[in-house]
Amino acid sequence: MVPMIDFGPLLPAHPEEIVVGLVLMIIIWLVMWKKVVPTFEKSYEARREAIVGGIEQAEKAQAEADAARQEYQAQLADARSEAARIREEAKNQGAAILAEMREQAQADSQRILAQTQAQLEAERAKVLNQLRGEVGGLATQLAGRIVGESLDDDERARRTVDRFIADLESQSTETVGQS
């Protein structure tokens, strides 16, 4: 005979309880398999899709941000090169304006110098003419007093004055040459 093992409280007193327990367990398992598991699977699938969608959106947003950053950097580089070009152009324009102003100032100074020299020459000629007239008149009067005759003849007086002035000029050039 086979000895009997005592299972204590785990062994049902009635064998029908084992059958009912097994049937109830199969019913619960079927209900779980048909109702609860699909609900959990749907919930898991929805969560997985949300996570995957979030990751895809994050990757898409990251790609857009990278593209925007690259575009910004390209625009920034363009702006920097444009600013450098504008600075260089302004520098060149400033140098051209400065050169033009220098040329204009030199032209103005030369024009003023030429006008001043012309004015001085005109004044000198005027003064020389006045001096000739005055010196000629004085020389004629003096010569007339020395000679004792009147030298009112204009031609003779003019020749005498011209000879006197020529003598004065030659003496002044000899004095300058000796110095």
Side-chain angles (χ1 to χ4, degrees):
M1 216 64 193
V2 181
M4 218 156 162
I5 302 173
D6 184 27
F7 288 104
L10 293 178
L11 186 63
H14 302 288
E16 301 90 33
E17 288 179 3
I18 291 178
V19 173
V20 170
L22 281 175
V23 169
L24 284 176
M25 187 180 85
I26 291 174
I27 291 173
I28 290 173
W29 184 78
L30 286 175
V31 168
M32 291 280 284
W33 186 257
K34 295 288 185 182
K35 300 286 183 186
V36 176
V37 170
T39 305
F40 280 132
E41 286 295 323
K42 286 180 186 176
S43 140
Y44 291 144
E45 185 64 26
R47 182 173 287 174
R48 187 187 69 76
E49 286 177 5
I51 291 171
V52 169
I55 290 172
E56 288 174 356
Q57 284 180 340
E59 288 173 352
K60 190 176 186 181
Q62 182 67 33
E64 288 175 0
D66 287 343
R69 183 178 49 83
Q70 289 174 354
E71 183 179 338
Y72 169 75
Q73 288 176 346
Q75 288 175 352
L76 187 61
D78 288 345
R80 285 181 179 153
S81 66
E82 181 70 16
R85 185 188 62 78
I86 289 171
R87 275 193 308 271
E88 188 64 31
E89 188 175 305
K91 184 179 175 183
N92 291 340
Q93 285 178 352
I97 289 171
L98 186 61
E100 183 180 321
M101 290 178 76
R102 281 185 184 148
E103 288 175 11
Q104 186 177 3
Q106 286 178 348
D108 287 346
S109 69
Q110 288 175 356
R111 180 181 48 83
I112 290 170
L113 184 61
Q115 285 177 349
T116 304
Q117 287 176 347
Q119 189 176 10
L120 283 175
E121 284 296 320
E123 289 290 325
R124 182 175 172 254
K126 183 179 173 184
V127 167
L128 277 176
N129 284 336
Q130 283 179 345
L131 277 176
R132 280 185 185 191
E134 289 177 17
V135 169
L138 290 173
T140 304
Q141 284 178 355
L142 184 61
R145 285 186 189 169
I146 291 174
V147 174
E149 80 178 64
S150 173
L151 296 174
D152 287 336
D153 181 18
D154 286 338
E155 184 63 31
R156 190 183 310 167
R158 192 173 56 78
R159 277 188 304 209
T160 304
V161 170
D162 287 342
R163 196 176 21 196
F164 178 71
I165 290 175
D167 287 342
L168 285 176
E169 286 179 354
S170 67
Q171 286 177 1
S172 68
T173 57
E174 286 175 7
T175 307
V176 171
Q178 292 175 356
S179 304

